[in-house]
Amino acid sequence: MSSALRRAGGTDLVKRAVTEPTVRTVEIPALLERAGLGDINPYSGDINEIAAAAYACRAAGAVALPFPIVGQLAGAQSALGLVLVSRTQPVVDHVDLMTGWQAVDRFGSRTDVVGAVESARTISAPFAGIAKTTTWSEGEISPVLVYLVLECWSVLGSLESALALSVQHAKDRVQFGSPLSRYQAIQFQIADAYVELGGLEVIVEQAVASYASHGAQSLTDIVAARVAMLEAAEKCLRVAHQIHGAVGFTDEHDLAWLSRHGHIARRSPLGVSGTLAWAAESIERHGFDGLFPVMGAGRE
Amino acid sequence: MSETGWRHANDLLDDLFPLRESAAATALRGEFRAWLKANLTGRFTPLIGRGGAWDEENFSLNVEWERHLAAEGWACITWPKEFGGRSAGAAELFAYRDEYFRAGAPERVNFLAEDLVGPTLMKHGTPEQIDRFLPPMQRAEEMWCQGYSEPDAGSDLANIRTRARLQGDTWVIDGQKTWTSLAARSDWCFALVRTEQGSARRAGLSYLLIPMDQPGIEVRPIRQMTGSAEFAEVFFDGAVTSAENVVGAVGEGWSVAMATLGFERDWFMSRYFRFARDLAVTVDYVRNTLGDPRAFEERIVRSFTELAAFRAIGLQTLAAHEAGESTSPLTSLTKLFGSSWHRDLGELSFSVLGAAGAQTHDQNTVEHALQRTFLYSRAEPIFAGTNEIQRNIIARRMLELPSSTAGSRS
């Protein structure tokens, strides 16, 4: 999948998608089909299936792929796709591609996406809109968990690319007669970001394993992974922008696209503080297993 | 946007740390408040809570506003009276800026002239340059941009390659500048260029004033992740300016450029008022729009506490400035502290917005304002000397630490 996306132009896809609608409606769906995305079922109970989905999302995130791949994979059980939304603020990336999809809130309730209330481009989310939904009905938590996990992997992919760009920029950019990479002040920032991402990678791997073993009982682990993802995104993008300087703000540079790419994923259904509160709620209700099980109702 | 919101943080700080304001400052405050109330209205209403380089749709109106301020004596107030100012001191400037931002008046778009190149000319310009350039600057009739950064000269400003050679009574300029804010809107550029062939680093540079509207200059705006194109690349291909448009001695441009940078870092203190407003908008949003604001309490309190510290540092800087003391490296401290503070606030704005922040295409909403705070504050630790450069200055000049091995050429 990574190589298929690279061959297709990598981040050129998102840059082109702004002016060429067929990139998102024709080109990318065909590319994902050829890559075998349609054969992956993260709900199969086989850890390899959800791991494959996670890796596909990581590869997509790495090029800021302008397509709702997380929703397509998380919707493997329903008709076309499934998107996790905030019920009060159902802001969705690529909502224009989601006719016939279902939306799910963070408790698992479901509704149909029947269109977009508006799909105006915004400064940080050029493909966003507000989902128009019908009535909500009770549903299962599993799709929420799968969606959250895959989204973490997609953001991880973007952050890894942002870090790789920063390392490269630090090596290439010469100031005061030396590459930036020779300055400890720069090395330390990059090292901190690297450690942050290393930690995130372990946590999201654990989230996949937890879902594969515990299914619906893995809520705490998965929400905790989202907290880690949100915090890592803040720290890594701060470093990436600082190291790049002004060039990182320009639309010509991949960093600007990667940096903007995860905005909705990082805000919806809940941002950092809301997700922390959600994690606390979940620990209170279900407990969680660290090295030793922690208080709370606990897993059966 | 609610007005009560952005009054909040300022008022609290004023209650906690009352200013012993001079009679002159209090008088100016009252007069300016009444003036703003009477004038920031009618056709200027679209600028309330907006304005600045990012606000492309209101740019012409923003310039009109600058001209109106100037015509009524409310621009360049620290300039001497003979140059159209009020000879206002630091306390009056503080009161002036406080009132300006409380009223929700727009970001200034003429600050490069008013706060940077104008004061530089007063210090280093010839009487002829002062007569020629200051009046139209004061009236906002000629807009200015700053030609410092180049593709290979960012933090390492002394690595400038743009060259100018004197042919008869004309400088002929070739090279490239970049990240030039407002280049596409400017009539003049103050630029640091290499005028001595074979010179290196800080030697052999000159500070030229270059007219922008000429065939030898091409401006290519750069679209940014904020959605606007406030900065640009500027290409000089046989561009010209008269021989007398050099500020300070030929080959001595570095010290003139540093004087401007000092003014720029002084100017950064004026961000306090903008920052206080940004925090207030955030607090207001948390109080009135979010269902459960408790999640943000700790970060908001930290932000508020640090804002109080920034205000104190800023007041001290202004006082030192007024007493005629050197404010370097105090200005580096201000810049480092303030830009880091604002970046943190930007991240807080991003957090409090949650899902609502992603759909804020209506530029008049508080959500849009919060999103701008986030996007714009990312740039602050970079422009006008990165945080790394400010730390170097503080380490070397304030703490007398040795310079690092890499980069010792500076």
Side-chain angles (χ1 to χ4, degrees), chain B residues 149-184:
Chain B
S149 291
E150 296 185 4
D152 290 317
S155 285
D156 185 7
L157 184 61
N159 200 34
I160 277 174
R161 292 187 182 162
T162 296
R163 296 193 315 176
R165 57 188 193 281
L166 202 52
Q167 284 188 349
D169 57 0
T170 303
W171 289 105
V172 181
I173 308 132
D174 292 287
Q176 180 191 352
K177 295 288 176 183
T178 192
W179 320 131
T180 312
S181 295
L182 296 171

Side-chain angles (χ1 to χ4, degrees), chain B residues 24-98:
Chain B
T26 306
L28 182 135
R29 181 186 285 281
E31 196 190 339
F32 192 40
R33 182 179 294 182
W35 185 88
L36 285 164
K37 191 160 191 281
N39 287 270
L40 187 57
T41 175
R43 70 193 172 111
F44 294 124
T45 307
L47 292 172
I48 294 175
R50 300 186 42 158
W54 71 271
D55 193 2
E56 291 172 337
E57 77 183 66
N58 283 318
F59 193 84
S60 306
L61 188 62
N62 214 343
V63 174
E64 274 183 55
W65 168 251
E66 294 277 356
R67 289 176 183 162
H68 185 60
L69 275 175
E72 303 265 318
W74 290 111
C76 305
I77 66 158
T78 56
W79 288 20
K81 290 192 173 123
E82 71 223 67
F83 303 137
R86 289 170 177 251
S87 303
E92 289 157 287
L93 180 64
F94 194 90
Y96 166 87
R97 284 178 170 158
D98 191 7

